[in-house]
Amino acid sequence: MNRDHAVARAGSPALGSLVAFVLLALLAVTITMRGGGTLLGDRELLDWSLAHRPDVAVTLARLLTHTGTGFVPYALVALAGYLLGRTPRQRIQAAAACLACLVAAQAVRFSLMALLSRPRPATAHWVTDAGHWSFPSGHTTTSAVTAGLLVLAVWTRAPRGRRVIAAAVGCWGLLIGLTRVYLGVHWFSDVVGGWLFAVWWLGLTAYGVTRFAPDAWEEALLSGEGTARARVSPPDAAGPGSESELIRGKVGIAPESDCGAPPPSAALPGVECHVRAAEADRIALPSERDVSQR
């Protein structure tokens, strides 16, 4: 795979990033036009959450939602970078790049959150701590970006079971967002905004890597496809012990085991065997008679 092919393979992330950005912009504009009010499905899902809150479910939701912020996401992102690298130096660089991706995403998200200043649901519905404005959801954005980087690392480097691991990581990222609605600290449109933001940011990052560090992107793609591919010769290829069909008949090729090792000066292995086999196929002609003896 050459560099141009690697860059071309980044077309899908770039397109997905553009679509996510357009949808995020439309969602943000709609929320702004409604003065930060709720959208379709926001109050219905919150009401359902309030009516289905057994103690066990609330405890599990709290435990799960706490993994979407703080130390855990940054540790997982560093792990993703470690897995993406091959050498110690590459692992350090990849871990630093992944951490920078997450930190930059947080900075942009905070700016967008402050710009829109959407209020959260009423504090009477909260069953966990929360702060700052509501859109887009911080836990959702952080966990989705983390899950995306970790899925990339697992899909690229895991020798086996990568589908199961990637699916588990993806489900973790989705559930973090849903717990924010269940615990009453976010509207569902806040969570959707966090997911869209993460898709946009990850796609934008992937596109940026292809433009400014195409070798790193190419290496990641090659690793996903498998860097060591076995070269198998065609089954009908001629070799020692086979017969080659010619127009005027068959030419027998002696098995390699019947001949000694070819001399070092031989251009191709087994040439001496072929020559001896050809000499053996020659037809002996009778010697000419001496006319003077008649």
Side-chain angles (χ1 to χ4, degrees), residues 23-230:
L23 294 177
L24 177 63
L26 291 175
L27 184 59
V29 170
T30 303
I31 292 174
T32 302
M33 293 178 62
R34 296 178 65 90
T38 59
L39 303 182
L40 179 63
D42 283 345
R43 290 198 176 275
E44 290 78 4
L45 289 175
L46 179 61
D47 293 339
W48 183 91
S49 300
L50 295 175
H52 299 82
R53 281 183 176 176
D55 294 339
V56 175
V58 171
T59 301
L60 291 177
R62 284 174 176 172
L63 293 175
L64 183 59
T65 200
H66 287 323
T67 63
T69 187
F71 171 78
V72 175
Y74 289 93
L76 292 177
V77 164
L79 175 62
Y82 178 85
L83 294 176
L84 284 172
R86 291 181 177 274
T87 64
R89 181 179 179 181
Q90 289 178 350
R91 289 170 178 170
I92 294 175
Q93 293 176 344
C98 290
L99 288 171
C101 174
L102 181 57
V103 171
Q106 298 285 39
V108 176
R109 178 186 64 82
F110 270 114
S111 301
L112 180 60
M113 181 182 294
L115 178 64
L116 297 178
S117 302
R118 187 188 193 186
R120 293 177 181 269
T123 56
H125 304 321
W126 296 9
V127 287
T128 188
D129 297 332
H132 305 291
W133 299 105
S134 187
F135 182 90
S137 170
H139 284 66
T140 303
T141 303
T142 303
S143 60
V145 172
T146 302
L149 294 174
L150 195 55
V151 166
L152 174 62
V154 169
W155 198 264
T156 302
R157 298 300 186 205
R160 60 179 63 88
R162 60 182 183 179
R163 295 181 183 274
V164 177
I165 300 175
V169 173
C171 289
W172 169 77
L174 291 175
L175 288 175
I176 294 295
L178 296 178
T179 59
R180 306 307 289 169
V181 178
Y182 184 75
L183 297 175
V185 293
H186 274 292
W187 304 110
F188 182 66
S189 53
D190 299 332
V191 174
V192 174
W195 288 335
L196 291 175
F197 185 97
V199 173
W200 164 62
W201 189 258
L202 290 173
L204 183 65
T205 302
Y207 181 76
V209 172
T210 62
R211 303 307 302 175
F212 299 102
D215 293 336
W217 180 258
E218 179 183 359
E219 183 180 358
L221 293 179
L222 286 173
S223 301
E225 297 174 355
T227 55
R229 296 182 178 179

Side-chain angles (χ1 to χ4, degrees), residues 6-26:
V7 174
R9 289 282 296 273
S12 297
L15 179 60
S17 176
L18 178 61
V19 172
F21 177 78
V22 172
L23 294 177
L24 177 63
L26 291 175

Side-chain angles (χ1 to χ4, degrees), residues 215-278:
D215 293 336
W217 180 258
E218 179 183 359
E219 183 180 358
L221 293 179
L222 286 173
S223 301
E225 297 174 355
T227 55
R229 296 182 178 179
R231 296 181 179 180
V232 181
S233 59
D236 56 346
S242 63
E243 292 184 350
S244 302
E245 294 288 342
L246 298 179
I247 298 178
R248 296 184 180 181
K250 297 180 179 180
V251 177
I253 301 177
E256 189 176 8
S257 58
D258 295 341
C259 305
S265 59
L268 294 174
V271 172
E272 185 178 355
C273 298
H274 301 164
V275 173
R276 293 212 301 265

